[in-house]
Amino acid sequence: MRWAVLGGGHWGTALAVYLLRQRHTVQLWGRRAERLPCQPGRTDLFPVFPECARPQGLHCTVDLAAAVQGSEGIVLAVPSHALRGLLTHLLPCLPPTALLVLASKGLEVPSALRLDQVLREILPEAPLVVLSGPSFAHDLMLGKPLAMTAASTDPTYAQRVAEAFGSAQMRVYTSDDVAGVCLGG
């Protein structure tokens, strides 16, 4: 699958590298070029991942429209306070059939809305899966075993994400309890 991972921080970078290791095509987007791990001459992935070399094929950009163009799946891995703004900017360039995977955790401040509710306010009809679980970016980067849950009101979407993300390293369970997975994260 062709994936865009939106969020060039620790979690977004780890998810992008993980998807690349699973043989997907990945475009990593971040707001600031100097924070992205794809700078020319840079061999490390991120200051907190000094032991991890950048894999071949990881592409980075600060151009949101270019990042999502042609993507079959879009992973949203930005801090909770940045999600609404990102979705507003994403709206005009969102591929119509792209599956959205919400990998951000927390509640929106000051509304106290779950992040899936924020997404639904802006993109009410978008195919959505919430991906969450007991996991850390550093563990994902080091290949440690993880378990996650892919939750969606549409079981075919949850299964699609479970298949795309599932591996010997990451066991992905499916659920229809979107609110529970959001709050549990």
Side-chain angles (χ1 to χ4, degrees), residues 60-162:
C60 299
T61 184
V62 294
D63 183 337
L64 184 60
V68 300
Q69 183 179 6
S71 293
E72 299 166 81
I74 299 172
V75 177
L76 303 165
V78 297
S80 58
H81 68 269
L83 183 64
R84 186 177 293 274
L86 172 64
L87 293 171
T88 303
H89 287 95
L90 181 61
L91 187 58
C93 57
L94 181 67
T97 60
L99 178 61
L100 298 180
V101 178
L102 181 58
S104 300
K105 296 179 181 180
L107 299 173
E108 182 185 52
V109 176
S111 72
L113 290 173
R114 295 187 322 263
L115 298 184
D116 67 301
Q117 293 172 312
V118 173
L119 189 140
R120 286 290 175 228
E121 281 186 1
I122 297 167
L123 299 166
E125 300 301 320
L128 173 64
V129 176
V130 174
L131 183 67
S132 191
S135 53
F136 296 98
H138 197 257
D139 291 344
L140 185 59
M141 290 297 296
L142 294 178
K144 293 183 179 182
L146 302 171
M148 302 283 280
T149 300
S152 179
T153 56
D154 185 323
T156 59
Y157 295 150
Q159 187 59 41
R160 206 166 137 202
V161 169

Side-chain angles (χ1 to χ4, degrees), residues 8-10 13 35-37 42-52:
H10 304 143
T13 298
R35 295 282 318 234
L36 291 171
R42 186 177 211 174
T43 57
D44 65 329
L45 270 171
F46 213 65
V48 297
F49 305 134
E51 67 279 13
C52 300

